Amino acid sequence: MLAFIRNNIGIILFAILFFGVVFGGIYYVEHSLESQERVVN
C-alpha cells in the first residue's frame, strides 16, 4: 500500500487538487448565485 502511494503520489495529488478545484468552483457558483438572487429580490 505504501509503495503504491509512493509510486502514484503525483497522480493522487493531482486528483485531489482537480476535485478540490471542481467542487470549490461549484460551491462558489452556488453561493454567488444565492447572493445575486437576494439582491434581485
Side-chain angles (χ1 to χ4, degrees):
M1 188 66 193
L2 279 173
F4 172 79
I5 291 170
R6 254 188 236 118
N7 291 339
N8 297 301
I9 193 74
I11 296 163
I12 293 164
L13 285 174
F14 179 78
I16 292 167
L17 264 170
F18 178 76
F19 285 111
V21 167
V22 168
F23 286 114
I26 292 167
Y27 180 83
Y28 171 77
V29 167
E30 282 187 357
H31 280 260
S32 62
L33 282 174
E34 276 178 27
S35 59
Q36 283 174 359
E37 280 174 21
R38 271 191 221 115
V39 170
V40 170
N41 290 339

